[in-house]
Amino acid sequence: MRGLMMDRPLLISTILDHAASVFHDREIVTRTVEGPIHRETYAGVANRSKQLANALTDLGIGQGDRVATIAWNTNRHVELYYGVSGMGAVIHTINPRLHPAQMAFVINHAEARILCVDLTFAPLVAKLIDQLPKVERVIYLTDRANMPADALDNGLCYEDLLAAQSTDYRWPEFDENTASALCYTSGTTGDPKGVLYSHRATVLHAFGFSLPSAVPMAESDAMLPVVPQFHVLAWGIPYAAAMNGTKLVMPGPGLDGASLTQLMRDEEVTITAGVPTIWHGLLAHWRQTGETVPSLKRVIIGGSAAPRSMIEAFQDEFGITVLHAWGMTEMSPLGTVSLLKAGMESADADKRFGKLAKQGRPVYGVEMKIVDEHDRPLPHDGTAFGALKVRGPWIASGYYRLDHSDNHDTDGWFDTGDVATMDDDAYMQITDRKKDLIKSGGEWISSIDLENAAMGHPAIAQAAVIGIPDEKWDERPLLAVVKTADATVDADAVRTYLSEKVAKWWLPEQIVFVEALPIGATGKVLKTKLRAAYADGSLSGEGGA
Ligand code: ADP
């Protein structure tokens, strides 16, 4: 028997309509690329998204067409999210930190017809445009006064386009499984692969993301996503915020500690989200200047493992709770969040931080399992580790324009490429990415565990571990570290410190002090580069135990 409920489609436009009518005066505040602070309301964003939809219609854009962006977190970029998807077209966000050749690859692969760019990236696009035969128009995300002097012949001004249009536009209704957005994985292994999101997945993800047991976002909150809109749709925050009437504070290109701190203070930000690299910078800035953000209550850390020392620092030094989250582009991205289990608030610090440093429990909507090499389920005892597989309504079922995917099992599970444990409280912990695990003498060493242990040393700001070939053991760990400012520490001291934290055979074969670690387009350490540096002899350090 079928239920007698209305079959209303879950469309992204319904989120904006809701925000515009219920939370019409809640704000989106932007530090613009041009400099000044811009204030807009959800009602304003709704009107401008409709003007944009009218303008794109006039430019010949229709359902399913790809409109690409190379842009920071701003109100205009939010308008593009809603305007483009709302009209049934597909927004394709591009990471400007990709290598130009990779950028051209993804734009051509997506066959984007329009490219919207922030002024910062105008020179880049000028160089690239000859390699982009499908791009008909470039829209500069600025006003007439700030248009680049050398704008391309096919260039248009965003504010002029909007000003010429009426706010009279009715969002079309269509199947909720229609494509809404396209993001490419960062391509640290092979060519980037396209993940094609749908309206249904995006709306359900926004529900799941903002649940009280996931990333609670209320109308009274002010959220500053440091995670870029070009990285997995800023983790879906622009949708979750509008759904809940949460004020959005967009940092534009100002991502250094001082700019972020000032904007957070001025706008009384209560939640923020980003990758660990950003928080290293912010914590260092706070310690150096004595500045803090009194309104800030929660920091969402994901994208790479949040070291326990960072979680402790936020809590103990600044009274801010870290929500450690895990996910991936293919998962819209949210999979798990580490919140303290009920009753654990009074547990001792070691137990609490031990739990919080794990990647957390699945949010409703994501099913997870860990399996051995024969796809047999492993026990949830916090020790057994294996391939982490997931399924759910906001997880990709395949890749855009790729017939085959090795990661998608025939029985409907997606192999994340991560190796993990699960404990009896359902907390998942990433041991490593499959390709980063180190096999030493037939046993596995987790590079993440070793990095986290090293980062507990007060003189170590950042750490990365790779496996290096070893005749006797197959592979041994090499630890590359960046010291904190003015710290003095040598390899022996690091090794002595680590020997109290990890098994003796885990102790790094080599410890190398470096000025900086190679960071990729999404703010993660590029272990491929470290391995290459080791192979060509440019990364070597003090010898073993
Ligand atoms: P890419 O795979 O292109 O680097 P993603 O941004 O989708 O792009 O990265 C997803 C991967 O990042 C996950 O599979 C996992 O390995 C890693 N990751 C994300 N969040 C965490 C976390 N909290 N702890 C450890 N690893 C994480």
Side-chain angles (χ1 to χ4, degrees):
M1 189 188 286
R2 278 179 71 84
L4 282 172
M5 289 292 130
M6 293 184 189
D7 189 12
R8 301 287 301 141
L10 300 173
L11 298 179
I12 287 170
S13 56
T14 64
I15 300 180
L16 188 59
D17 277 346
H18 177 74
S21 74
V22 179
F23 311 113
H24 53 91
D25 55 359
R26 279 305 266 167
E27 282 183 314
I28 298 191
V29 180
T30 302
R31 183 195 297 280
T32 58
V33 177
E34 296 88 346
I37 297 290
H38 173 86
R39 313 189 85 84
E40 188 74 67
T41 61
Y42 276 116
V45 169
N47 280 335
R48 284 166 57 84
S49 302
K50 289 180 174 181
Q51 287 174 300
L52 173 65
N54 277 327
L56 291 173
T57 307
D58 281 0
L59 290 172
I61 294 298
Q63 294 232 341
D65 283 336
R66 270 78 68 207
V67 174
T69 62
I70 312 183
W72 301 108
N73 291 7
T74 68
N75 63 303
R76 292 185 182 122
H77 207 175
V78 173
E79 291 154 15
L80 281 155
Y81 271 32
Y82 283 105
V84 173
S85 304
M87 68 185 289
V90 177
I91 180 149
H92 167 207
T93 56
I94 296 158
N95 187 335
R97 299 185 190 125
L98 288 179
H99 185 275
Q102 265 191 345
M103 228 185 266
F105 170 87
V106 297
I107 298 170
N108 290 331
H109 190 264
E111 300 185 325
R113 292 181 57 195
I114 291 195
L115 184 54
C116 305
V117 294
D118 268 334
L119 292 176
T120 325
F121 309 115
L124 182 88
V125 170
K127 275 199 210 125
L128 219 57
I129 196 74
D130 288 342
Q131 299 168 48
L132 310 174
K134 301 275 182 191
V135 172
E136 298 159 26
R137 294 284 192 178
V138 171
I139 299 179
Y140 295 96
L141 298 173
T142 189
D143 55 15
R144 174 62 39 196
N146 287 290
M147 277 293 279
D150 53 354
L152 294 164
D153 291 344
N154 64 355
L156 296 166
C157 166
Y158 182 82
E159 291 299 335
D160 280 1
L161 277 177
L162 261 59
Q165 296 293 340
S166 126
T167 57
D168 196 13
Y169 181 89
R170 187 186 283 271
W171 299 115
E173 280 197 8
F174 40 76
D175 179 356
E176 64 184 17
N177 288 300
T178 303
S180 56
L182 177 62
C183 289
Y184 283 74
T185 60
S186 61
T188 37
T189 49
D191 271 339
K193 295 193 281 278
V195 176
L196 189 60
Y197 304 103
S198 69
H199 284 257
R200 173 186 154 81
T202 303
V203 172
L204 290 176
H205 180 267
F207 273 118
F209 186 93
S210 51
L211 287 172
S213 298
V215 182
M217 282 169 69
E219 184 182 358
S220 53
D221 280 311
M223 160 62 101
L224 187 152
V226 181
V227 53
Q229 285 189 257
F230 54 74
H231 190 195
V232 212
L233 304 169
W235 296 348
I237 288 166
Y239 308 108
M243 188 179 260
N244 291 288
T246 305
K247 173 174 162 180
L248 262 182
V249 182
M250 298 307 231
L255 302 180
D256 57 287
S259 310
L260 285 175
T261 304
Q262 194 191 335
L263 190 60
M264 285 184 191
R265 287 174 67 100
D266 291 350
E267 299 303 327
E268 300 190 331
V269 165
T270 59
I271 323 180
T272 181
V275 295
T277 344
I278 291 285
W279 310 125
H280 278 295
L282 193 75
L283 284 173
H285 176 76
W286 287 357
R287 287 173 181 144
Q288 217 170 36
T289 60
E291 266 189 319
T292 53
V293 181
S295 55
L296 192 60
K297 295 194 177 60
R298 293 190 289 273
V299 176
I300 322 302
I301 306 184
S304 308
R308 175 170 165 163
S309 53
M310 180 180 278
I311 301 174
E312 287 174 340
F314 270 114
Q315 187 68 61
D316 295 345
E317 290 176 47
F318 302 102
I320 294 168
T321 302
V322 167
L323 302 186
H324 188 193
W326 165 87
M328 54 198 309
T329 308
E330 289 88 337
M331 297 177 69
S332 293
L334 190 62
T336 62
V337 183
S338 202
L339 292 164
L340 271 191
K341 182 181 148 73
M344 274 200 77
E345 300 78 6
S346 52
D348 66 52
D350 198 46
K351 277 215 175 93
R352 276 187 287 120
F353 287 117
K355 269 304 195 220
L356 291 174
K358 294 192 174 194
Q359 278 67 17
R361 294 180 289 181
V363 297
Y364 169 74
V366 176
E367 289 174 77
M368 293 187 358
K369 64 177 181 181
I370 46 170
V371 295
D372 67 12
E373 63 274 29
H374 305 293
D375 213 30
R376 287 179 305 220
L378 289 164
H380 293 185
D381 58 6
T383 310
F385 58 88
L388 177 63
K389 297 193 175 182
V390 292
R391 66 177 179 192
W394 58 74
I395 296 167
S397 61
Y399 293 105
Y400 178 58
R401 290 179 56 199
L402 266 190
D403 293 338
H404 174 77
S405 152
D406 285 340
N407 310 341
H408 288 88
D409 296 352
T410 45
D411 60 358
W413 288 83
F414 171 72
D415 186 343
T416 62
D418 286 332
V419 177
T421 62
M422 291 186 74
D423 68 21
D424 54 3
D425 288 327
Y427 283 74
M428 182 275 286
Q429 181 165 27
I430 303 276
T431 314
D432 234 322
R433 299 202 88 167
K434 217 179 276 172
K435 57 186 191 321
D436 293 336
L437 268 176
I438 298 160
K439 198 161 198 182
S440 178
E443 299 288 344
W444 296 104
I445 296 175
S446 155
S447 68
I448 295 187
D449 279 358
L450 203 46
E451 286 156 9
N452 280 342
M455 277 187 275
H457 192 294
I460 294 180
Q462 280 172 285
V465 170
I466 56 166
I468 54 173
D470 186 275
E471 256 179 41
K472 183 167 172 201
W473 303 105
D474 271 345
E475 274 190 322
R476 292 290 300 146
L478 175 149
L479 168 68
V481 291
V482 180
K483 288 186 215 177
T484 50
D486 308 327
T488 46
V489 67
D490 61 14
D492 281 344
V494 174
R495 201 166 277 113
T496 308
Y497 174 82
L498 283 176
S499 62
E500 288 160 21
K501 311 267 171 195
V502 300
K504 190 161 180 287
W505 59 279
W506 278 40
L507 289 176
E509 199 61 28
Q510 291 192 29
I511 297 179
V512 189
F513 292 93
V514 293
E515 285 296 311
L517 293 170
I519 302 289
T522 52
K524 304 179 200 200
V525 174
L526 279 181
K527 294 200 177 175
T528 41
K529 277 222 167 137
L530 281 178
R531 288 191 197 101
Y534 179 79
D536 71 20
S538 56
L539 182 78
S540 64
E542 300 177 44

